[in-house]
Amino acid sequence: MCGIVCYVGKKKAQPILIEGLKRLEYRGYDSAGLAVQNGDHVDYFRAVGRIVELEKKIHDHDITGSSGIAHTRWATHGEPTEENAHPHTDQEKNVFVIHNGIIENYQILKSKLQKNGVRFSSDTDTEVLAHLISKYFDGDLCEAVRKTMSKVEGTFGIAVIHRNKPGQIVVARRGSPLIIGVGKDGNFAASDISAMVRYTNKVVHLNDNELATITEDGFTISTAQAIAVQRDAETVEWAPEDAELNGFPHFMLKEIFEQPETLRNAMRGRLEQGEGVPRLGGIMPVWDTLKECRHIVIVACGTSYFAGCVGRYIFEKLTEIDIEVELASEFRYRKLNFPHNTYIIAMSQSGETADTLAAIREARRKGAKLLGIVNVVGSSISRETDAGVYNHAGPEIGVASTKIFISQLTILTLLALLLGRHQNLSLTEGVEAIRALEVLPEQVQTILSEANHIQAIAEKYYHYNNWLFLGRKYCYPIAMEGALKLKEISYIHAEGYAAGEMKHGPIALINPDMPTVAIAPKDSMYDKMINNIQEIKSRKGLVIAIGTEGDEQLKEMVDDFIGIPPTLDILNPILAVVPCQLIAYYCARFLNRDIDKPRNLAKSVTVE
Ligand code: G6P
């Protein structure tokens, strides 16, 4: 949830660290801090609020050191105050630590330290790390961190410097992401490639229970048991401009507008019209067992979960596979009883979501096989699954996920199509699906060209405090995702419902002050949706319909209409979600919300 960035090299560290923090701000943003070392002098600053507050604080200081650590925080233990911001230090201010994760046994450790006279200056779990490292330090910082690791339970990605060890940064990981970046004029460590992508695209992933010592000239990795590890750097494909706004006012809008390209990236090299069978190289290592599989469980959180819910309908349509979708946070606590040859698909943008990781670990224990659908290459989920498919969507910075959602839907469709074609799905159906997939990017482009129309609708409705989103079958999860987008970034209360359930409750809410977004493309559920819309209109409810372009009947019935191009039933969700994203975006903009960094949320939730 927090962001870590570190640099040691020839350049001044402070501007590199601040820039890295800004790129990581989406991971958490209630306070920030840095410690920059120059010989045995350490400049140390912390501030409550966004990175700009930290910048103001350091503005009049000449911070010359070329080695340092920096952190942006999303509070778990202790209020977002300056005392609780990272880095944390020991009493002598020799050790400086930044931490992402949760130290679960910190209370016990803290009491023991306090009994020995150690005074604490924050409410955080992290501070115990600083005192323990200080206690164990006898000239070897890496050893002191290793000993500390053996005492703590929980999850962490940490970075540590010591006043007596200039030019050296020790990092360690258990459960929270941490990568090393190998640059020309120095080396980096960060929770995420976006923090250092301007300087290097060569990265080394730390595994759980590994430590690394990073200097200007290189790095050494070892395990918690002090066994040396050799690992070469990998090259990542993300370009620096992927993490820039490129003229858009917000990353969310930029990412919504990137979606035609996101779809092309998800399908590039994977479509094969001739046989109607997509190619997914990443799953070939497990193909022999996967093609026999008759039971799949998709586990995910947040927006990725809603993509999984659409996936269930797609798999049911295209394959013979029995499919379930589970919130990872619930799945991990279930008593699992899988049929033989069950595959679990973990779907995650970041590949680091703690609940999703815990869910696949539990499933692995019970003998399930694991697939990943992940955006971040080399992330924990991608490494802990047997095989998988990457989204290749580039970084998603806006906290509210948009482009990854449609990428996930595309990949689920490709996977279902591939499996279906080895089961009962005919050549004609396979080819038809691939043709429909191929034109999706232009169809999304058509919807985006109507952004002004959607903005005008948002202007008309943004002052309403309660919204309902309705859909059926493939578009039921789109109703849930549409409601989630609206509440996440505009803070308007919204509920996503299966339209058939309306009469069992939500209809009681319908009145002229309650807009309903009805997702009603011309699919197999169309007539039923029309009935639901009539029920709302006869109770004087306001209806914004998302329907198939040219549907005059629907247009006549509702207050406002947004058209989407015609496509197959299974692909309607990919098109229908785009107006929902834009409605949420423009409502939030009219309400002057902090769209890319909505309150209390974080992009990557690496705590339970
Ligand atoms: C957080 C983000 C959501 C995201 C969810 C799952 O809650 O704010 O946008 O959908 O985590 O993240 P993942 O990286 O696993 O897809």
Side-chain angles (χ1 to χ4, degrees):
M1 298 300 278
C2 306
I4 287 177
V5 56
C6 313
Y7 170 75
V8 44
K10 292 189 174 41
K11 298 181 175 169
K12 255 177 137 180
Q14 179 246 306
I16 296 174
L17 296 177
I18 291 286
E19 193 203 322
L21 283 184
K22 285 185 176 165
R23 292 187 191 277
L24 289 176
E25 225 181 356
Y26 70 87
R27 298 180 64 87
Y29 34 78
D30 57 42
S31 49
L34 54 73
V36 174
Q37 191 163 13
N38 194 355
D40 66 358
H41 172 78
V42 177
D43 287 297
Y44 168 49
F45 294 94
R46 298 180 296 174
V48 175
R50 298 284 161 87
I51 311 304
V52 286
E53 302 305 321
L54 181 64
E55 274 186 294
K56 282 183 205 157
K57 217 156 179 184
I58 60 180
H59 187 257
D60 296 329
H61 299 265
D62 189 19
I63 304 174
T64 51
S66 59
S67 156
I69 59 176
H71 187 266
T72 173
R73 177 170 188 248
W74 186 86
T76 55
H77 290 73
E79 302 264 298
T81 59
E82 192 170 320
E83 294 69 42
N84 290 337
H86 301 213
H88 288 283
T89 70
D90 60 331
Q91 291 180 117
E92 291 75 33
K93 295 210 168 22
N94 286 328
V95 174
F96 296 81
V97 184
I98 55 179
H99 166 219
N100 172 19
I102 293 178
I103 304 301
E104 280 161 10
N105 60 338
Y106 88 101
Q107 282 292 9
I108 302 169
L109 297 170
K110 186 171 177 174
S111 310
K112 273 193 199 157
L113 286 161
Q114 281 171 325
K115 269 188 206 134
N116 291 329
V118 174
R119 282 185 323 278
F120 278 72
S121 53
S122 79
D123 307 319
T124 64
D125 51 338
T126 305
E127 196 183 337
V128 295
L129 297 173
H131 296 299
L132 284 175
I133 294 166
S134 169
K135 178 174 152 188
Y136 295 131
F137 181 76
D138 62 2
D140 186 336
L141 185 56
C142 188
E143 271 315 307
V145 174
R146 201 187 319 274
K147 271 193 194 143
T148 303
M149 276 173 84
S150 70
K151 303 289 173 199
V152 300
E153 289 163 18
T155 56
F156 52 82
I158 55 174
V160 189
I161 57 172
H162 194 289
R163 197 180 290 278
N164 300 339
K165 288 284 170 187
Q168 195 179 94
I169 300 171
V170 173
V171 294
R173 126 167 213 174
R174 182 187 297 156
S176 301
L178 203 62
I179 48 179
I180 300 168
V182 185
K184 261 203 223 109
D185 295 320
N187 294 310
F188 300 79
S191 355
D192 183 322
I193 176 74
S194 56
M196 50 200 187
V197 76
R198 237 192 95 185
Y199 302 97
T200 181
N201 61 355
K202 300 223 172 333
V203 302
V204 180
H205 292 271
L206 269 197
N207 288 335
D208 277 347
N209 294 309
E210 287 182 348
L211 306 88
T213 303
I214 306 171
T215 61
E216 181 185 326
D217 304 320
F219 62 91
T220 53
I221 303 179
S222 58
T223 66
Q225 289 74 37
I227 300 164
V229 175
Q230 288 301 324
R231 192 167 300 138
D232 293 334
E234 294 167 39
T235 305
V236 290
E237 289 159 19
W238 293 2
E241 54 282 9
D242 286 340
E244 312 280 351
L245 274 168
N246 286 343
F248 282 92
H250 297 100
F251 280 107
M252 182 176 175
L253 192 64
K254 177 188 173 224
E255 286 155 7
I256 291 173
F257 272 81
E258 265 170 25
Q259 290 182 118
E261 196 51 27
T262 308
L263 290 172
R264 286 187 196 103
N265 289 339
M267 295 189 278
R268 185 160 292 124
R270 291 171 171 170
L271 296 187
E272 168 54 69
Q273 248 204 40
E275 298 293 320
V277 183
R279 275 190 296 260
L280 293 172
I283 56 163
M284 283 307 125
V286 298
W287 179 240
D288 285 346
T289 50
L290 183 61
K291 73 173 193 286
E292 302 304 328
C293 148
R294 289 296 176 274
H295 186 235
I296 287 180
V297 187
I298 300 177
V299 292
C301 300
T303 290
S304 298
Y305 167 73
F306 291 140
C309 294
V310 179
R312 173 169 49 200
Y313 292 107
I314 298 174
F315 269 75
E316 277 171 9
K317 173 80 180 166
L318 301 181
T319 74
E320 307 297 306
I321 295 167
D322 175 25
I323 178 146
E324 294 172 57
V325 191
E326 272 271 11
L327 287 166
S329 53
E330 288 296 317
F331 178 86
R332 59 186 289 193
Y333 296 111
R334 276 186 51 202
K335 185 165 185 294
L336 304 172
N337 210 351
F338 303 126
H340 172 65
N341 205 8
T342 291
Y343 262 90
I344 304 294
I345 302 182
M347 199 152 61
S348 172
Q349 186 287 125
S350 59
E352 302 292 350
T353 301
D355 283 319
T356 312
L357 259 174
I360 58 171
R361 286 173 185 160
E362 187 57 25
R364 164 86 75 205
R365 234 169 262 135
K366 300 291 187 303
K369 301 184 179 68
L370 306 176
L371 283 188
I373 297 178
V374 171
N375 188 39
V376 178
V377 175
S379 56
S380 301
I381 293 176
S382 75
R383 286 179 296 136
E384 292 196 25
T385 41
D386 301 313
V389 187
Y390 281 120
N391 295 95
H392 295 309
E396 189 181 61
I397 311 277
V399 166
S401 180
T402 52
K403 64 176 182 174
I404 297 304
F405 182 76
I406 64 162
S407 177
Q408 289 168 334
L409 297 187
T410 310
I411 285 166
L412 285 168
T413 310
L414 295 179
L415 187 58
L417 203 52
L418 176 60
L419 289 165
R421 286 287 291 120
H422 284 85
Q423 297 168 1
N424 277 347
L425 199 71
S426 69
L427 172 64
T428 321
E429 289 168 299
V431 172
E432 182 190 40
I434 287 188
R435 285 203 183 122
L437 281 162
E438 275 172 341
V439 296
L440 277 177
E442 292 103 271
Q443 293 183 317
V444 168
Q445 196 62 58
T446 308
I447 301 169
L448 293 173
S449 66
E450 290 298 308
N452 286 345
H453 169 56
I454 299 172
Q455 183 174 8
I457 293 175
E459 189 169 15
K460 193 167 150 192
Y461 293 94
Y462 76 90
H463 59 278
Y464 289 101
N465 293 326
N466 294 293
W467 292 48
L468 188 61
F469 285 70
L470 295 179
R472 277 176 185 259
K473 202 169 175 178
Y474 301 103
C475 290
Y476 160 41
I478 300 305
M480 297 194 284
E481 171 61 7
L484 177 69
K485 284 290 87 83
L486 189 65
K487 62 188 140 195
E488 274 184 311
I489 57 164
S490 71
Y491 318 145
I492 294 171
H493 171 243
E495 289 196 50
Y497 246 86
E501 277 291 296
M502 192 181 66
K503 56 187 169 300
H504 299 296
I507 199 163
L509 297 169
I510 300 296
N511 68 17
D513 285 330
M514 173 111 173
T516 296
V517 177
I519 303 155
K522 283 208 164 156
D523 62 7
S524 56
M525 293 288 116
Y526 177 73
D527 293 339
K528 305 258 180 225
M529 276 304 296
I530 294 292
N531 292 343
N532 293 128
I533 292 169
Q534 267 157 351
E535 285 158 12
I536 300 169
K537 286 314 303 169
S538 60
R539 285 161 185 83
K540 301 202 167 25
L542 301 164
V543 177
I544 304 160
I546 298 172
T548 304
E549 62 192 15
D551 184 348
E552 296 303 324
Q553 177 199 358
L554 180 56
K555 210 169 175 177
E556 286 296 301
M557 283 170 62
V558 298
D559 299 273
D560 284 283
F561 177 83
I562 302 166
I564 58 171
T567 184
L568 299 181
D569 285 13
I570 53 168
L571 300 181
N572 267 321
I574 293 180
L575 301 180
V577 77
V578 179
C580 295
Q581 297 166 343
L582 286 168
I583 290 172
Y585 174 79
Y586 288 119
C587 284
R589 204 153 149 189
F590 286 120
L591 289 164
N592 231 348
R593 306 296 193 220
D594 195 350
I595 294 178
D596 284 334
K597 300 184 187 79
R599 71 182 176 212
N600 305 336
L601 295 179
K603 181 80 187 152
S604 181
V605 183
T606 53
V607 292
E608 187 181 346

